[in-house]
Amino acid sequence: MKNGRRTGLYRGGGARVTDIVSIRVSAEPAGRLSAGRLRLFAFIAIAAFMIAGPVAEQVFGVRSAWLRSWTMFSAIGMGVIDASFEIRLPDGALVPLDRFEMLGASRNGRLKRIESRDELASVIKRLCTAAGQGADIRVRARQAARGGWQIIHTDAENACAD
């Protein structure tokens, strides 16, 4: 008190800061979606559409122009040939034949991937020549195709006899 008067901000009868209650009033009209909820709904709808295509085809076997299926690696490796070679020893036993070693080729070179039937025929011819007259080389080969592996050679016959 100063000269019989009260000093300071509070003078007795006024409202205090703690007495004021904040009432939150929505700025949006009732019944409308907020922008955040609209974005969430759009995200969920797009994600469901993206997932529905592969699930419909792979789980339920349904194909539709509206639902896109999903195929991983649809064309990579098509036509590549997986081949293994065996040579018959004089005692009659078949043992694995390493084409790189037999032909003196690098494992990272052209011989690493056989990409056509003509290339396979060329490799077989080179192996038969390197093995010598009367060699018995057996070839198991299959080629990658859309419907699965297609058998090209079985080890039932001597590939050098042709």
Side-chain angles (χ1 to χ4, degrees), residues 4-157:
R5 300 175 106 200
R6 288 178 149 178
T7 59
L9 295 175
Y10 180 71
R11 297 198 182 221
R16 293 185 199 136
V17 176
T18 57
D19 293 339
I20 298 173
V21 177
S22 170
I23 300 173
R24 183 175 177 173
V25 178
S26 177
E28 299 171 14
R32 292 194 57 198
L33 290 175
S34 69
R37 287 189 183 209
L38 189 59
R39 281 192 299 269
L40 177 65
F41 177 73
F43 172 77
I44 291 171
I46 291 169
F49 181 74
M50 290 171 58
I51 292 170
V55 168
E57 183 173 342
Q58 295 174 14
V59 176
F60 302 113
V62 175
R63 286 193 163 191
S64 169
W66 290 96
L67 296 174
R68 298 283 306 199
S69 65
W70 179 76
T71 305
M72 187 170 182
F73 306 122
S74 65
I76 295 175
M78 285 297 155
V80 172
I81 295 176
D82 174 37
S84 63
F85 305 91
E86 293 179 321
I87 189 166
R88 188 174 303 278
L89 298 177
D91 66 357
L94 281 171
V95 295
L97 174 65
D98 185 351
R99 66 181 183 253
F100 303 104
E101 186 179 313
M102 183 80 153
L103 299 175
S106 168
R107 292 192 182 275
N108 293 328
R110 180 75 177 120
L111 195 57
K112 183 177 181 178
R113 276 180 66 139
I114 301 172
E115 297 184 6
S116 69
R117 292 176 185 228
D118 291 337
E119 282 185 45
L120 178 62
S122 172
V123 169
I124 292 170
K125 184 177 180 182
R126 290 172 55 196
L127 285 171
C128 290
T129 302
Q133 187 73 10
D136 185 357
I137 295 178
R138 305 296 169 125
V139 179
R140 274 189 304 262
R142 59 188 185 162
Q143 187 172 27
R146 287 219 182 269
W149 289 101
Q150 293 180 344
I151 303 298
I152 298 173
H153 275 281
T154 63
D155 60 354
E157 57 188 45

